[in-house]
Amino acid sequence: MTTAVAERPTQPQGITPAYARALELLTQGHDAKDAATATGVPLGRLVSLARQQGWAIHPTTQRATDASRDDFTPVLPPKLQALSAQFVARPRVVADPDEPDQQPYDATDLLADAADCDDRQVQAALDRARKALDKLHVVYTRVEDEREAAAQREAAKRAAADRVAELEQQLAAARERAKALGATTKRTSSGDRSRDRVIRAWAKSQGLDIGDFGRIPGRIRDQYDAAHPTA
């Protein structure tokens, strides 16, 4: 005669990586309280999930056992092992700050558990918590945007300063090269300015393209000098 064995659920509905990790800690010999504390999940919920896996929680040692196995050691199903690998420790909160020994909750799991509770007081507190989180998100986003904008401005200022320093170095190097080649810088004398006016007038009379101000192109000076060898 074959006895049908009811298949146990491998992934309870609504389980999170934190609960999966807590269950995994139970399979590694940790007691339920330590597993709950390490992952930030409610102890009662963890014990309930362990029983759904077919495990028993000893009332004194709080350790899990599996009577269906020869060594009584519970084994986490592969799906829950994969889910446990996704667990990342998060900040935990204590419901009552005056009771520091109270079991801490993972904030995300606490919100999820509260959403499943039909108590009016819990729902009212959950609504206030969600509004507070929305406000926190707005403020945090604004502050982060301001910090990012400030960082971008600072980076632009540093880039501009670096570019100025680079140009100054190039200018200094150019001056050194010019000095080595014997180039000199001199101010324009009144005689030079008078000659420039004559050259401009001549260039315009010849139909050459020349402006009223600025440097006279060398080619125009050469043409003037060629037309006025004694000038």
Side-chain angles (χ1 to χ4, degrees):
M1 179 177 178
T2 302
T3 302
V5 178
E7 184 178 354
R8 293 179 300 183
T10 59
Q11 185 169 347
Q13 183 178 6
I15 193 170
T16 66
Y19 284 114
R21 175 57 180 159
L23 290 171
E24 186 175 40
L25 290 176
L26 291 180
T27 67
Q28 296 172 354
H30 295 270
D31 62 53
K33 183 177 180 179
D34 287 345
T37 301
T39 55
V41 302
L43 176 60
R45 172 68 170 156
L46 174 59
V47 171
S48 176
L49 290 175
R51 289 170 177 165
Q52 289 182 34
Q53 294 297 308
W55 307 343
I57 302 297
H58 194 279
T60 302
T61 65
Q62 290 288 297
R63 297 186 183 276
T65 57
D66 186 349
S68 67
R69 295 179 55 84
D70 293 337
D71 58 1
F72 292 93
T73 301
V75 175
L76 197 67
K79 288 184 179 180
L80 291 183
Q81 291 179 13
L83 192 61
S84 173
Q86 301 175 21
F87 170 70
V88 176
R90 297 169 178 166
R92 292 173 294 169
V93 296
V94 175
D96 188 352
D98 295 329
E99 297 183 17
D101 295 332
Q102 182 177 349
Q103 175 64 35
Y105 287 90
D106 176 279
T108 301
D109 290 330
L110 178 59
L111 291 173
D113 289 343
D116 293 335
C117 180
D118 58 0
D119 184 84
R120 301 174 90 183
Q121 292 183 347
V122 171
Q123 290 303 311
L126 176 61
D127 183 61
R128 292 193 297 272
R130 285 172 172 169
K131 290 179 179 178
L133 287 174
D134 289 341
K135 182 177 180 180
L136 174 61
H137 180 267
V138 170
V139 173
Y140 176 78
T141 301
R142 185 183 71 249
V143 170
E144 285 299 296
D145 289 344
E146 291 173 352
R147 287 179 177 176
E148 182 178 357
Q152 291 177 351
R153 289 194 298 270
E154 188 62 27
K157 288 170 59 178
R158 288 196 299 267
D162 291 343
R163 180 56 178 162
V164 169
E166 180 183 357
L167 292 174
E168 288 177 344
Q169 291 177 355
Q170 293 176 357
L171 179 59
R175 285 174 175 167
E176 289 297 324
R177 289 194 298 271
K179 183 178 180 180
L181 294 172
T184 58
T185 302
K186 61 180 181 179
R187 293 183 177 181
T188 302
S189 65
S190 58
D192 292 333
R193 290 195 293 270
S194 297
R195 188 170 187 273
D196 285 351
R197 286 195 294 270
V198 173
I199 295 175
R200 290 182 195 279
W202 175 83
K204 290 181 179 180
S205 68
Q206 299 298 312
L208 300 177
D209 184 16
I210 186 173
D212 294 332
F213 303 97
R215 180 177 175 275
I216 297 177
R219 58 181 178 79
I220 294 182
R221 289 184 182 276
D222 292 341
Q223 293 179 40
Y224 177 83
D225 291 339
H228 305 81
T230 61

